[in-house]
Amino acid sequence: MPEEQTVGELGRSVAALRRDIQAMAQGINSRLDKVVSTEVYSLQSAYTDQRITQLSQELQKISDARETLETQFEQYQLAERDRRERERQARLYQLVVPVLLALLSAGVAVWAVVA
């Protein structure tokens, strides 16, 4: 036959069960403290959506500004390249024209002496 528990043992078992139930209740309460209400969640999610929209707009503005800056830089590079080419041609003409004139005048002088 199974041994029957004494009143003292039953009291200790009941006290142990009470402690277990209280520990479980405290665990549930601590979890419920971490739960966010629906109103707070909806406000927080609305703020998050608004902030994401704002950040995406700022990102788009920055991207547009970067593209504009790149386009302006490319135009500057093209204009600078054209300016350098014009300067190179001007220096070349400044060198070639006097040399040709000197050769022409020397040729005319030689022709005048020979003729």
Side-chain angles (χ1 to χ4, degrees):
M1 251 205 234
E3 293 182 24
E4 292 186 18
Q5 294 182 347
T6 63
V7 176
E9 290 173 344
L10 285 175
R12 284 189 288 278
S13 295
V14 170
L17 284 174
R18 279 188 184 161
R19 283 191 299 273
D20 289 342
I21 290 173
Q22 286 177 351
M24 287 180 8
Q26 287 176 352
I28 291 172
N29 285 338
S30 68
R31 286 183 183 174
L32 287 176
D33 288 343
K34 294 178 184 178
V35 174
V36 177
S37 68
T38 307
E39 294 85 21
V40 172
Y41 176 75
S42 63
L43 287 174
Q44 188 176 17
S45 63
Y47 173 76
T48 302
D49 292 342
Q50 180 184 11
R51 185 68 178 136
I52 288 172
T53 304
Q54 182 182 16
L55 288 174
S56 68
Q57 289 172 350
E58 289 176 12
L59 182 63
Q60 184 63 39
K61 286 179 186 177
I62 291 170
S63 176
D64 292 343
R66 191 188 106 249
E67 288 176 11
T68 302
L69 185 61
E70 285 179 355
T71 303
Q72 289 174 347
F73 183 68
E74 288 174 5
Q75 290 173 353
Y76 168 76
Q77 284 180 324
L78 291 174
E80 188 66 20
R81 185 193 68 195
D82 293 342
R83 184 188 64 80
R84 287 182 188 154
E85 181 63 24
R86 284 191 305 273
E87 283 183 3
R88 187 186 68 77
Q89 287 178 356
R91 284 192 304 268
L92 180 65
Y93 293 143
Q94 289 172 356
L95 177 67
V96 169
V97 170
V99 169
L100 288 177
L101 286 176
L103 289 174
L104 182 64
S105 63
V108 168
V110 168
W111 181 68
V113 170
V114 173

